[in-house]
Amino acid sequence: MTTPDNSPVLNNTTTSDTSAVKTESSGMWGGRFSEATDAFVAQFTASVQFDQRLYRQDIQGSIAHATMLASVGVLTDAERDDIIKGLSSIQADIESGRFEWRIDLEDVHMNIEHRLTNLIGITGKKLHTGRSRNDQVATDIRLYLRDEIDQLMQLLAKLERGILTLASQHTDTIMPGFTHLQTAQPVTFGHHLMAWFEMLLRDGERLIDLRRRVNRLPLGSAALAGTTYPINREYTAKLLGFEAVCENSLDAVSDRDFAIEFTSAAALIMMHLSRISEELVLWTSAQFRFVQIPDRFCTGSSIMPQKKNPDVPELIRGKSGRVYGDLMSLLTLMKGQPLAYNKDNQEDKEPLFDAIDTVRGSLLAFADMIPALVPNIEVMKEAALRGFSTATDLADYLVKKNIPFRDAHEIVGKAVALGVRENRDLSELTLAELQQFSSLIEQDVFAVLTLSGSVAARDHLGGTAPRQVKAAIERAAGRLEALLG
């Protein structure tokens, strides 16, 4: 049986097998202990329930380790080949659901090593030469996180391309821009979408940047001080695709700052997705009606037949909190640990895995949903006409007539007050009505009071003019592809 993320599930029948605990667990530590591990303690300290998802990386790392040991003469080529064959067989068993995970063997590493020894005999016991579970697990996590970052980058890119496609269809679609959630100035829907793109592009840049720090090899640090065997860490790093080796053995086995850095980036991704979600929740309401989300991303009500609830944005908005919690868990986990490795670090995996799973699911949902949004073009345009969104344009018009901006601001404020009393937009006031506030206002003022005139006037890099939005989309596509390499 497998979990939704294709990780094998622990066979629950083994959790109550106290006899297995007594016969196996003390064997892992050799002769130091005079009594077997308590059954509850064995279950309490075990991690195989969740770290079994690292099996692929654990086997990958072990194959590289065995290959390196053979290259320096610690293993024979025949022993290396037996180990690799055995590990490949174990991976096939895991992925087919035939592998039995045992809680008395504590973690993914010992489960695999125990099975390897059963398969190939004493040679299996030689695999752990020159390494510890401390550097082994640090390597597994880095390999796993590296793989996940690469997958998240692809999902981010899919979402960003979807945003670019939608934005390119609406470079001229006018909507109100907001500050304080109050109508401020007209913008184009394409320009607003490009703000989402910029947020997510920075998120991708952070993932690419932190991946370099993840992609360093701890293996060879052993428990904390290195090993007396003539290992070749650079060769192991090359086999595993690491860019560098961790320079200090104490640091390599004990720090999890790379996981914290990833979770911090994950929290920022979720913060951005949550902001977008909040806008979608608002925009799909009857009070806004700016966009429609396809039915397949929504649910109804068990009692109110008319309801169409934006569940996907709401849920992603809520899930941001759990990733924030994952970040705080990891920060708190590390803050009091002396060098080097401590058992506390067993608690690093579940927050990291949860952050990865949550971000992955959220990006997957958004990547499918965002390109399918349908804007209500006329509704957005009508909303931009409310709230005197071209007031700043009138102030700018007066400044160009050599009126100081503060005086122009006051003049426009009086014109807006008249519009409020009359329930008319500035563009609906007559020339005579406008001239009572300034004789410098002439007929040409109405060109700047239109929504299209307002957005077209912002014709500079980063502005909302349709011409600039089209250019921004073209540049953005190139920037995204350059980031992906």
Side-chain angles (χ1 to χ4, degrees):
M1 182 170 64
T2 59
T3 59
D5 67 349
N6 297 319
S7 298
V9 174
L10 178 70
N11 184 341
N12 289 330
T13 60
T14 64
T15 61
S16 59
D17 187 357
T18 57
S19 62
V21 173
K22 292 178 181 178
T23 58
E24 293 287 354
S25 62
S26 59
M28 289 189 285
W29 338 116
R32 167 65 177 84
F33 286 72
S34 60
E35 61 179 352
T37 303
D38 179 83
F40 169 75
V41 171
Q43 294 185 28
F44 184 70
T45 59
S47 60
V48 67
Q49 305 96 312
F50 49 84
D51 70 12
Q52 60 185 264
R53 74 161 69 186
L54 299 173
Y55 76 88
R56 189 178 291 109
Q57 289 75 23
D58 193 71
I59 290 172
Q60 180 185 2
S62 290
I63 289 174
H65 184 63
T67 302
M68 181 276 296
L69 289 178
S71 75
V72 297
V74 174
L75 293 178
T76 67
D77 289 350
E79 289 172 329
R80 174 201 62 203
D81 293 344
D82 284 347
I83 288 171
I84 293 175
K85 182 179 179 181
L87 289 171
S88 299
S89 175
I90 290 170
Q91 180 166 335
D93 285 346
I94 294 172
E95 293 177 349
S96 66
R98 295 191 302 269
F99 191 89
E100 181 183 2
W101 296 97
R102 291 175 46 178
I103 201 167
D104 60 295
L105 295 174
E106 189 174 355
D107 56 32
V108 61
H109 324 294
M110 294 309 301
N111 267 267
I112 291 175
E113 183 179 323
H114 182 271
R115 178 60 179 152
L116 179 66
T117 302
N118 285 344
L119 283 176
I120 67 172
I122 194 171
T123 300
K125 294 183 178 182
K126 296 183 178 183
L127 172 61
H128 209 52
T129 304
R131 76 175 182 186
S132 162
R133 282 189 297 175
N134 294 355
D135 61 341
Q136 185 179 0
V137 67
T139 301
D140 289 1
I141 296 173
R142 286 175 181 265
L143 286 170
Y144 180 83
L145 183 53
R146 186 182 72 185
D147 292 344
E148 292 296 330
I149 288 171
D150 292 343
Q151 292 182 39
L152 291 178
M153 280 301 303
Q154 293 304 312
L155 285 175
L156 258 177
K158 181 181 178 182
L159 172 56
E160 289 169 294
R161 292 187 185 108
I163 291 173
L164 292 178
T165 298
L166 187 61
S168 67
Q169 298 166 2
H170 295 282
T171 56
D172 295 279
T173 299
I174 293 176
M175 67 176 291
F178 299 95
T179 61
H180 308 276
L181 204 56
Q182 305 295 311
T183 299
Q185 294 176 328
V187 297
T188 62
F189 184 49
H191 189 58
H192 193 111
L193 290 171
M194 290 305 295
W196 294 356
F197 175 89
E198 292 295 333
M199 297 176 186
L200 298 173
L201 188 69
R202 291 193 299 273
D203 289 330
E205 290 171 346
R206 274 183 282 269
L207 288 179
I208 292 292
D209 186 56
L210 70 88
R211 188 188 187 280
R212 295 185 298 107
R213 286 178 287 282
V214 171
N215 202 27
R216 296 173 184 170
L217 175 72
L219 202 60
S221 300
L224 77 162
T227 178
T228 59
Y229 295 96
I231 60 173
N232 185 339
R233 296 184 67 203
E234 291 82 0
Y235 181 48
T236 307
K238 181 180 179 181
L239 291 172
L240 292 171
F242 283 104
E243 298 174 37
V245 299
C246 296
E247 293 280 350
N248 182 278
S249 60
L250 291 166
D251 173 65
V253 300
S254 64
D255 208 339
R256 295 294 185 267
D257 59 353
F258 64 92
I260 295 172
E261 186 176 8
F262 167 81
T263 313
S264 175
L268 284 170
I269 292 172
M270 292 304 297
M271 179 271 289
H272 285 146
L273 296 184
S274 183
R275 292 186 70 190
I276 296 170
S277 294
E278 172 69 6
E279 292 192 318
L280 292 175
V281 170
L282 288 171
W283 290 356
T284 55
S285 69
Q287 290 70 33
F288 276 80
R289 296 189 299 119
F290 282 6
V291 299
Q292 298 177 51
I293 297 176
D295 290 354
R296 62 185 180 275
F297 300 105
C298 302
T299 64
S301 166
S302 63
I303 188 173
M304 295 170 284
Q306 83 283 7
K307 293 296 293 299
K308 178 181 175 180
N309 299 323
D311 278 14
V312 169
E314 288 178 341
L315 191 56
I316 290 175
R317 184 178 59 184
K319 284 181 178 291
S320 63
R322 69 185 294 155
V323 178
Y324 295 176
D326 295 331
L327 173 59
M328 292 309 301
S329 292
L330 289 173
L331 285 168
T332 306
L333 172 71
M334 290 304 305
K335 73 175 185 64
Q337 289 194 40
L339 291 171
Y341 181 84
N342 299 276
K343 187 68 171 180
D344 311 47
N345 279 347
Q346 183 169 292
E347 293 295 306
D348 62 354
K349 299 168 194 64
E350 289 178 289
L352 178 62
F353 295 162
D354 183 71
I356 291 169
D357 293 346
T358 303
V359 173
R360 185 199 303 118
S362 299
L363 287 175
L364 184 61
F366 257 43
D368 291 337
M369 184 184 70
I370 293 298
L373 294 177
V374 179
N376 296 321
I377 296 174
E378 290 304 317
V379 171
M380 289 196 294
K381 184 176 181 180
E382 290 172 8
L385 287 170
R386 299 191 299 271
F388 305 95
S389 62
T390 58
T392 304
D393 296 272
L394 179 55
D396 291 341
Y397 171 88
L398 292 170
V399 168
K400 291 173 184 176
K401 300 280 187 175
N402 292 320
I403 295 178
F405 181 78
R406 285 302 168 198
D407 292 339
H409 189 285
E410 182 178 357
I411 290 169
V412 175
K414 292 176 180 178
V416 168
L418 174 60
V420 171
R421 291 194 301 271
E422 297 288 335
N423 194 28
R424 287 185 288 158
D425 184 66
L426 290 176
S427 62
E428 297 172 323
L429 298 178
T430 67
L431 180 59
E433 287 172 324
L434 290 171
Q435 286 179 333
Q436 66 180 302
F437 304 113
S438 174
S439 60
L440 295 177
I441 297 176
E442 299 174 347
Q443 187 65 39
D444 62 351
V445 73
F446 293 103
V448 304
L449 294 181
T450 63
L451 297 177
S452 58
S454 176
V455 296
R458 272 75 180 171
D459 190 12
H460 56 76
L461 181 65
T464 190
R467 188 176 75 89
Q468 292 293 338
V469 175
K470 291 175 184 176
I473 293 170
E474 292 179 6
R475 291 194 303 272
R479 292 163 61 203
L480 176 58
E481 297 311 314
L483 180 64
L484 296 172

